Amino acid sequence: MAGTVIIRSCIILCLLINTVLCQDCSQPCDCPAESPLCPVGTSLVLDGCSCCKVCARQAGEPCSFLEPCDHHKDLYCDYGVLSDTETGICMAQEGQTCDLGGVIYRSGETFQPSCKHQCVCMNGEIGCVPTCASNIRLPSPDCPYPRRVQIPGKCCEEWVCDQIPQDDTFQSAMAGRPIAYRELFGPHVQHESARDNCIVQTTDWSECSATCGMGMSSRVTNDNEQCQLERQSRMCMIRPCNAELEKDIKRGKKCVRTPKSQRGMRFELSGCQSVRLYKPKFCGVCTDGRCCTPHTTVTAEVEFRCPEGDSFRKKMMFIKTCSCHHHCPRENDIFLASNSRRMIGDYDNDM
């Protein structure tokens, strides 16, 4: 008798789990014509039926089969928290916490250290995206002296146009560089394109935003058809995390400068993997307190494919040589891009 009760209880429990995890996906997909616009830092994922794209639920938010958690942040839907078996709460997988300014964040937790940045903690690593637009406005005939101003009550600066120069003219637009727009007079000016009338300017790439694992580097250029200053970004990986590079240091040496991956590897970005296998070079380590950073690099496009079936291309830095020095960046510094170290010989490469 007791055995029969146990079997029946198990059947009921299995039916409840099946109701939650195995929803009816037999109906044809009926998705909106346009994908929803998700908040900054929120992934666009497929629902449980792999049918429609929805904004992923974040840590602490209610979730369900059709409203999944953000798996790019290692979140899962815990159905044991609420009494409702069809609704759960997004919880983070066990991972290392992040420490920023003495504040501890759980792995998978999203936070804003300031109104200008949206960040997420992912297993001990902090990644951030800007919430303010980084567009730069060039002088033009209808706006000869643009400048950024802080609007009271607003977080992000906004552009205003002055007709006469101010003391701080161009300090935000050009960061000390000469003006990239020439005023030409005469009837032929309307027939010339912005490209023909452009002085091309490009800054150096900033340092990678992570000392290990995937990070981001950026630069500003007006090398485009509109001669408009724009911020370009590329992914970068100085070295894999948890890589034991010290064992590659030869006897009598203090550094291994530019080790190369011996086996083909796929890059990973937000749960997506590179289509191709790569054998990239990395920057090594030293035993005398020096750190090794990229010295000569190339930039190439890498194609990524996601579990949802989507694919995208990202520019990525590939290291050619590294240099070892005592000007070491700080660990886990989310604003590392402001610390610029000059790299030479960087160019785009179609790999």
Side-chain angles (χ1 to χ4, degrees):
M1 180 68 180
T4 304
V5 172
I6 293 175
I7 292 175
R8 287 180 177 175
S9 299
C10 291
I11 291 175
I12 293 173
L13 179 61
C14 290
L15 288 174
L16 288 174
I17 295 174
N18 186 65
T19 301
V20 173
L21 300 180
C22 300
Q23 298 283 342
D24 182 17
C25 297
S26 61
Q27 300 298 320
C29 293
D30 185 16
C31 306
E34 296 184 0
S35 300
L37 293 176
C38 302
V40 175
T42 300
S43 303
L44 191 64
V45 300
L46 291 174
D47 60 23
C49 291
S50 298
C51 191
C52 302
K53 290 185 176 181
V54 296
C55 295
R57 310 297 286 179
Q58 303 302 302
E61 294 181 350
C63 53
S64 65
F65 184 76
L66 296 179
E67 294 180 317
C69 300
D70 199 335
H71 64 86
H72 296 303
K73 299 177 182 176
D74 288 334
L75 301 179
Y76 71 97
C77 194
D78 188 346
Y79 291 98
V81 177
L82 303 178
S83 58
D84 182 5
T85 57
E86 294 186 1
T87 305
I89 296 294
C90 286
M91 306 289 286
Q93 302 280 359
E94 289 297 327
Q96 295 182 355
T97 59
C98 300
D99 184 349
L100 181 63
V103 181
I104 305 299
Y105 299 97
R106 302 186 310 275
S107 181
E109 185 176 358
T110 301
F111 59 95
Q112 278 193 274
S114 71
C115 62
K116 296 184 178 181
H117 291 89
Q118 177 95 2
C119 303
V120 62
C121 171
M122 296 182 67
N123 194 25
E125 297 290 330
I126 297 177
C128 298
V129 293
T131 56
C132 296
S134 58
N135 62 309
I136 298 178
R137 184 166 186 171
L138 281 175
S140 61
D142 59 334
C143 185
Y145 302 104
R147 61 187 177 96
R148 282 184 184 272
V149 296
Q150 186 69 54
I151 306 297
K154 292 188 177 181
C155 174
C156 303
E157 294 179 335
E158 297 183 4
W159 287 102
V160 296
C161 291
D162 291 331
Q163 298 302 316
I164 57 175
Q166 303 288 327
D167 293 338
D168 58 349
T169 300
F170 311 131
Q171 67 173 5
S172 298
M174 304 306 297
R177 292 177 174 266
I179 188 169
Y181 176 86
R182 295 177 188 160
E183 290 189 359
L184 297 180
F185 300 94
H188 63 283
V189 68
Q190 60 184 353
H191 302 296
E192 292 187 359
S193 67
R195 181 78 178 186
D196 296 331
N197 192 31
C198 184
I199 300 174
V200 175
Q201 298 176 81
T202 303
T203 65
D204 299 324
W205 286 104
S206 66
E207 285 193 6
C208 190
S209 61
T211 55
C212 73
M214 195 69 78
M216 182 172 290
S217 176
S218 64
R219 69 180 180 183
V220 175
T221 182
N222 64 341
D223 190 7
N224 51 58
E225 290 300 324
Q226 293 75 33
C227 191
Q228 293 291 318
L229 285 177
E230 62 179 5
R231 185 176 297 277
Q232 296 178 343
S233 62
R234 63 176 181 179
M235 308 309 300
C236 50
M237 182 184 288
I238 297 179
R239 62 185 63 84
C241 292
N242 303 320
E244 298 179 356
L245 300 176
E246 290 85 355
K247 60 183 177 61
D248 295 328
I249 299 178
K250 296 181 180 180
R251 181 175 298 179
K253 300 291 185 180
K254 296 181 179 180
C255 298
V256 53
R257 185 171 299 174
T258 316
K260 182 178 181 180
S261 176
Q262 299 301 313
R263 295 184 300 174
M265 61 172 290
R266 298 185 191 275
F267 296 114
E268 292 189 4
L269 179 62
S270 299
C272 309
Q273 287 191 335
S274 63
V275 176
R276 285 181 52 185
L277 289 171
Y278 295 89
K279 289 186 178 181
K281 291 181 179 180
F282 298 115
C283 288
V285 294
C286 296
T287 58
D288 60 356
R290 288 181 292 168
C291 56
C292 302
T293 56
H295 182 248
T296 309
T297 65
V298 297
T299 304
E301 276 198 345
V302 174
E303 183 179 3
F304 290 87
R305 184 166 290 126
C306 305
E308 294 84 10
D310 293 346
S311 62
F312 60 91
R313 292 177 176 271
K314 284 283 188 181
K315 286 190 173 183
M316 186 159 181
M317 177 189 78
F318 286 86
I319 296 171
K320 294 176 70 85
T321 62
C322 299
S323 62
C324 301
H325 49 84
H326 289 285
H327 304 288
C328 300
R330 291 169 291 171
E331 295 289 341
N332 203 21
D333 188 350
I334 61 174
F335 304 110
L336 187 62
S338 63
N339 178 19
S340 179
R341 181 177 178 84
R342 184 174 178 81
M343 289 181 290
I344 64 171
D346 186 272
Y347 56 92
D348 289 336
N349 183 38
D350 298 326
M351 298 184 66

